[in-house]
Amino acid sequence: RTVTRVQTCALPISLVKHEGVRLNASIRKPQVVLGEEIQVEATPVFEGAAVPGAQVYGEVVKPDGSREPISLYDDGFPQNADAVPKDGVYSARYLGANMTGVFTFELGMVNNTGLSYAGEDLFISVGDPSSTKPNTPAYVRLATASVLVTAPPRPVMSIKQSGGNVIISWTPDTPGTVLQGTPSLTPPTWTTIPVLSNPTVLSASGTNRFFRV
């Protein structure tokens, strides 16, 4: 076996390859729009079986090169996007998609308290692997997954009259879309119109009014 030295989470890790142990990482939606949450999932696998009780963590590399720490959980809590507790599938919701481009999740997995392979010569160490104690049951695996964040499409607005009201709607109904109105376009004086739903119903005033979203 060949010892390989890698760098992750600002910590050098020495490891020996073992084909029976791996970390699978994925993004539930490979493309999202700006501001949308990203759900990331990772599954440590040993000899075909998921590994509960491990630690899964890493960093999110943003399109501008900046990094943020992230931890994944196997606790069954909806706020972590995890469906079933202690099933060996670790999940997290990432809410920092604040720019367009590719976000890369660099994940690591450390098995200290979960299923372990006795005698596996794969150790967490700073520097040379010989600095660790032999027969350490802990092991580590690395994985990456990426997602493309794009700008939301511009909404298309529709206006129709219904009796003494005006019905305004827009597609797509992107969260954060703002409806504005102005009595004139020369020059316009746009003001935000509070709306509770899409479509929204406004009273027809009998005077000219222009709208945009």
Side-chain angles (χ1 to χ4, degrees):
R1 296 179 179 179
T2 303
V3 176
T4 305
R5 203 160 175 262
V6 298
Q7 184 84 16
T8 181
C9 302
L11 199 77
I13 295 175
S14 297
L15 55 85
V16 177
K17 187 176 182 181
H18 185 291
E19 295 297 339
V21 183
R22 64 184 185 274
L23 176 63
N24 299 328
S26 63
I27 306 294
R28 293 180 184 173
K29 288 180 63 177
Q31 181 172 327
V32 299
V33 299
L34 195 68
E36 185 178 355
E37 75 171 26
I38 299 171
Q39 295 186 11
V40 58
E41 186 175 282
T43 306
V45 176
F46 170 73
E47 299 295 347
V51 181
Q55 300 174 43
V56 181
Y57 59 92
E59 292 183 326
V60 184
V61 184
K62 292 187 171 186
D64 64 357
S66 62
R67 292 173 174 263
E68 291 184 20
I70 187 171
S71 296
L72 280 67
Y73 302 92
D74 185 19
D75 53 13
F77 291 163
Q79 61 264 35
N80 295 323
D82 191 60
V84 180
K86 299 180 180 180
D87 65 347
V89 180
Y90 301 74
S91 307
R93 297 181 188 271
Y94 177 69
L95 304 177
N98 55 4
M99 63 184 72
T100 58
V102 176
F103 284 67
T104 300
F105 292 76
E106 297 180 347
L107 303 177
M109 166 264 183
V110 177
N111 180 36
N112 286 321
T113 59
L115 176 69
S116 63
Y117 175 42
E120 181 186 11
D121 47 353
L122 179 58
F123 310 111
I124 307 167
S125 65
V126 177
D128 189 89
S130 61
S131 65
T132 63
K133 295 181 180 180
N135 299 320
T136 303
Y139 57 82
V140 62
R141 283 297 183 266
L142 311 173
T144 61
S146 298
V147 58
L148 177 62
V149 178
T150 62
R154 293 186 64 86
V156 177
M157 187 173 60
S158 172
I159 302 177
K160 65 180 180 179
Q161 186 172 358
S162 177
N165 296 320
V166 174
I167 301 176
I168 303 176
S169 62
W170 54 91
T171 303
D173 189 9
T174 305
T177 300
V178 175
L179 176 65
Q180 294 184 320
T182 179
S184 174
L185 295 177
T186 54
T189 54
W190 295 106
T191 58
T192 299
I193 301 171
V195 297
L196 299 177
S197 63
N198 176 25
T200 189
V201 179
L202 303 177
S203 296
S205 62
T207 59
N208 288 336
R209 199 170 188 191
F210 303 87
F211 299 94
R212 72 178 184 184
V213 289

